[in-house]
Amino acid sequence: MPPPGWKEALVTAAPQPTGTELLARLDRLPVGRPHRRLMLQGGLGYLFESYDAVLLGYAASAVVAIWSVGSGLAGWLLASVFIGYLIGALVAGVLADRIGRRRVLMYALLVYVVFTVVAATANSPGELILWRVLSGIGIGAEATMIVPYISEFLPTRNRGRNIGNTMLFLGFGYVLAGLTAVTVISPNPEPGWRIACLICVAPVLLLLWWRRDLLESPRFLISQGRIEEAAAIVERFERETAVNGQLPPVPAATAPAREPAPRRNVLRQFAALWGPGLAVRTGVVCVLWFAIQATHYGYGTWLPTLLVLKGFTITKSFSFALASAVAQIPGYYLAAAISERIDRKWTIVAFMGGSIACAAGLATAEDEVAIFCFVVALSFFMNGVAGPLYAYTSEIYPTESRATGMGLASATARVGAIMAPVAIGYLHDDLGFAGVFAMLCGLLLVGAVVLALLGLRTAGRSLEAMHAEPAAARTRDDQPA
């Protein structure tokens, strides 16, 4: 007769799945309802980021006029949110690799909500600058974490396309911000800018409520040795994704899951990005993000003014800017569609090349129709590059460094976003309209060449496959492919 408790012993003896098995099961799933839910939540986060940056930029312009703010202080007021973004990006990356993606995503939104509400009560430029920096920390941390978080759930075969589709929401945010500014701030600027702050907060509160049951990334849990928690999340995705109870077979793992990494202090987390096997990758993305975001914000913030200086009316320059905002949306879509075919690396290079051609055309165009066409086309290419850029950056780092790497790249971008508008202001009188765009073309060209020569292929490769080799072997992998 079997001994008492033999059934319980069998259950206890059932082998627990390994991290490698769980990742293979997760990667083989088709994109289903749980993936689409995460992409929608992430997309709405990007919508609120772009909506906040643009709408409260309009609000800051109204405040400058209402409070008669001097030009020097006005520059700090307009740059305050980007300072917050920079801090938020660095902090979010470090924290997410230590305490998890989910906590950072939730707490970042909460920080943004609190300080944006407080900003609506500001009665001096100094107060408003402080609250905008603090609210920027929240939204900057949120925006930095969305793609690394989503990418750790998406299957390998169409990860880039789905991340690109998530970035579409950025374009909708820009358009909605312009419409809200016209209907809320313009008719009555004094209460209007305060109302704009509260409008920014209201939908974020709904998103916070929706995210209350947000799942932690299985890849992060595996990297921390929390296999049982990761298994429960993978099983939930399998249940929700199964069609008629059937799932694709589990393929052989292309690379084993990495062993849980020892906990590192903040300095070592950043130092690891410049260590063997990752230094070239980090250098490439820092150059790339700085070039793209400095050009994007330099061009975007100065376009209406440059058009006015070129002889256009304010109304016409605003209409050009609105048309360029609408042109972003098909740019995001096309880049997402081709990034799985020609790889993220070459999609970025192609869109940067298109941006260079359009900026050069805009710098030399004199005919009004030609200028309009180049403005719209430049927005198409400059914004379309965002999807493959975010996807590429999140793919080239191992799980234990992914969020920190993304945070560093995003922070580098914010430095460019702060420096470029200021530099253009000082250089415009000497360089002129054509010179400004020639400078931006040169910056984009540097980024494109660096990526083409030193960048990696990432499409169709599992996240683990790019990081499975020893450090010395990964150094070889950093050579162009």
Side-chain angles (χ1 to χ4, degrees), residues 426-452:
Y426 284 110
L427 296 173
H428 178 266
D429 289 343
D430 295 326
L431 299 179
F433 186 86
V436 166
F437 281 88
M439 181 180 69
L440 298 181
C441 286
L443 196 56
L444 282 177
L445 182 61
V446 169
V449 169
V450 168
L451 178 63

Side-chain angles (χ1 to χ4, degrees), residues 26 35 38 149-155 215-218 233 237:
L26 189 63
H35 301 91
L38 289 178
Y149 174 72
I150 293 175
S151 69
E152 292 180 347
F153 285 90
L154 290 170
L215 299 173
E216 184 53 89
S217 160
I233 293 172
F237 265 62

Side-chain angles (χ1 to χ4, degrees), residues 60-114:
S61 300
V63 167
V64 167
I66 294 167
W67 291 344
S68 300
V69 179
S71 59
L73 190 57
W76 283 106
L77 184 59
L78 293 169
S80 59
V81 70
F82 297 115
I83 296 171
Y85 283 177
L86 188 157
I87 299 170
L90 288 174
V91 172
V94 171
L95 286 179
D97 280 335
R98 294 173 69 87
I99 67 173
R101 283 62 163 136
R102 180 188 181 277
R103 289 183 183 178
V104 172
L105 284 167
M106 297 296 291
Y107 294 154
L109 275 182
L110 191 58
V111 169
Y112 167 75
V113 167
V114 170

Side-chain angles (χ1 to χ4, degrees), residues 114-172:
V114 170
F115 289 110
T116 302
V117 170
V118 176
T121 69
N123 291 308
S124 70
E127 279 186 68
L128 189 55
I129 288 171
L130 174 62
W131 304 136
R132 285 295 288 152
V133 169
L134 293 174
S135 66
I137 291 174
I139 201 69
E142 153 82 4
T144 299
M145 282 314 308
I146 291 173
V147 165
Y149 174 72
I150 293 175
S151 69
E152 292 180 347
F153 285 90
L154 290 170
T156 298
R157 59 188 174 279
N158 49 24
R159 185 173 57 239
R161 183 172 68 250
N162 284 298
I163 289 175
N165 290 338
T166 302
M167 305 300 295
L168 277 170
F169 286 82
L170 281 172
F172 294 124

